[in-house]
Amino acid sequence: MSQRSRVLTVAGLVLAGGAGVAAAADAYKPTEEILALYKAKCQVCHMADGNSPLEPMNFTDGKWIHGNTIADITKNITDGAPGTAMLPFKSQLTPEEIAGLARYVRSFDKTPVKASSGAKKTSKPAAPKTKQSR
């Protein structure tokens, strides 16, 4: 196999893998319960299609401030986002409902999930941890 053939084969596999991730997001079909929960709890801020005119609340633009994985989104729904309008829903929803909403929210964005996501880095270093006495 020539060098060019190997490069084209690898490039094809990489592109196919990325398409699979996007296709998986497209394939998610929420239940009626999740759609009703989204409408009741999320739609007022994030819009019916997730395309809020306010960038921090937009799910379709590929800009995820608090992480773009299902786990990141689940944590954000569960615990809220301090310093923002996003309140915690852990006392209002079951873990299963939160997981369903997280999958639905992520499905609005058709860009592939980045391998290393998480909260957006800030320019300020984290405060050093200190031991607390008991």
Side-chain angles (χ1 to χ4, degrees):
M1 182 181 260
S2 72
Q3 177 71 15
R4 181 172 185 226
S5 295
R6 277 183 255 164
V7 169
L8 290 175
T9 301
V10 170
L13 291 172
V14 168
L15 289 174
V21 171
D26 288 341
Y28 177 69
K29 301 290 183 216
T31 64
E32 290 299 319
E33 177 188 21
I34 295 300
L35 290 173
L37 280 173
Y38 183 84
K39 186 175 183 178
K41 304 285 186 183
C42 313
Q43 184 172 311
V44 69
C45 293
H46 299 286
M47 304 294 117
D49 61 356
N51 192 13
S52 173
L54 301 173
E55 187 176 296
M57 297 179 182
N58 189 313
F59 298 140
T60 64
D61 63 5
K63 298 174 185 174
W64 295 87
I65 296 169
H66 304 286
N68 71 337
T69 66
I70 301 297
D72 295 330
I73 298 165
T74 298
K75 181 177 180 350
N76 199 41
I77 296 170
T78 302
D79 299 331
T84 72
M86 181 63 188
L87 301 174
F89 283 88
K90 63 184 162 197
S91 65
Q92 298 177 40
L93 303 171
T94 67
E96 294 78 19
E97 291 170 331
I98 291 172
L101 284 171
R103 287 191 67 208
Y104 184 49
V105 163
R106 184 60 182 93
S107 74
F108 287 125
D109 184 358
K110 304 306 181 209
T111 58
V113 175
K114 295 176 185 160
S116 61
S117 66
K120 184 171 143 182
K121 293 182 181 176
T122 62
S123 58
K124 290 175 150 181
K129 293 183 180 179
T130 60
K131 292 183 180 181
Q132 294 179 352
S133 59
R134 291 188 179 225

